[in-house]
Amino acid sequence: FGGPQVSITGLQCVSPGNCTSAGDYYDGLGHGQAVAWTETSGRWARGVRLRPPPNAAPNAFDSYGAGGNITSLSCPTVGNCAAVGDYLDRIGNVRGVLFTERNGRWSHGIEAKMPSDRFDPPSRGPNGKGYASVPAVSCVSQGDCVAIGYYLTHHGAVRAVMFTESNGSWEPVKPVAPPAGSAGGDYQ
């Protein structure tokens, strides 16, 4: 491939000519990074790198390789958005990530903490790797959002979870129970 590799995976417009998009790109070292672009009054600004959580691998957002990308974006007003997805940690586990933009400034991403029954090996080995993702977010007002996700348990089941952002702070995860009679329905 000659030239930059960039993918856009989320787009939200609050009015004509006022949009935000997010995705990933490869930096000069070939590492996958998350990025957001803002359009104001019909003019797109240069992309801004979204900083991953502290436990992220250098190639945290390698959407073409082992995983990690921005999957959804929601903006109730110009310059106030939430973006979600997944990233690679330093040992190769895929983890959910939550980003918040307030008044045009993106905060560092935070890990979407999953319940204690998640499969979370301390190192990548013969048993595979941990997996968690936050594929969608929706915001009704600035700092008030809901994100959905899922994770792999240490028993090999996939569980659904919900995160809420209230007044700009992400609240702890809430497990989502399937209907009665579902396979593996050992929810409490």
Side-chain angles (χ1 to χ4, degrees):
F1 292 78
Q5 294 183 37
V6 179
S7 93
I8 297 174
T9 53
L11 173 68
Q12 177 78 53
C13 298
V14 297
S15 63
N18 294 292
C19 302
T20 301
S21 64
D24 54 74
Y25 71 100
Y26 282 93
D27 66 17
L29 299 174
H31 295 154
Q33 305 294 339
V35 61
W37 296 269
T38 302
E39 178 192 32
T40 306
S41 301
R43 295 188 55 102
W44 285 96
R46 179 177 287 278
V48 175
R49 180 176 174 228
L50 301 181
R51 304 280 181 197
N55 67 341
N59 205 25
F61 297 99
D62 181 8
S63 65
Y64 300 104
N69 62 17
I70 301 301
T71 54
S72 182
L73 177 72
S74 182
C75 306
T77 59
V78 174
N80 296 290
C81 301
V84 299
D86 48 62
Y87 70 100
L88 294 171
D89 72 10
R90 287 189 199 106
I91 59 172
N93 292 314
V94 177
R95 298 182 180 275
V97 65
L98 308 163
F99 291 99
T100 302
E101 180 193 31
R102 278 192 201 96
N103 301 319
R105 294 188 56 99
W106 286 95
S107 63
H108 277 61
I110 60 170
E111 179 183 344
K113 297 286 188 182
M114 299 295 167
S116 61
D117 67 340
R118 73 188 177 282
F119 178 60
D120 198 15
S123 64
R124 194 171 187 173
N127 295 326
K129 62 181 180 179
Y131 191 87
S133 184
V134 183
V137 64
S138 181
C139 302
V140 295
S141 63
Q142 178 182 344
D144 292 305
C145 305
V146 174
I148 57 169
Y150 57 91
Y151 67 101
L152 180 66
T153 71
H154 56 273
H155 295 296
V158 176
R159 297 275 170 84
V161 290
M162 216 177 276
F163 300 87
T164 56
E165 184 188 29
S166 181
N167 296 319
S169 296
W170 287 99
E171 312 264 327
V173 65
K174 295 174 180 64
V176 179
S182 297
D186 59 344
Y187 284 79
Q188 305 298 325

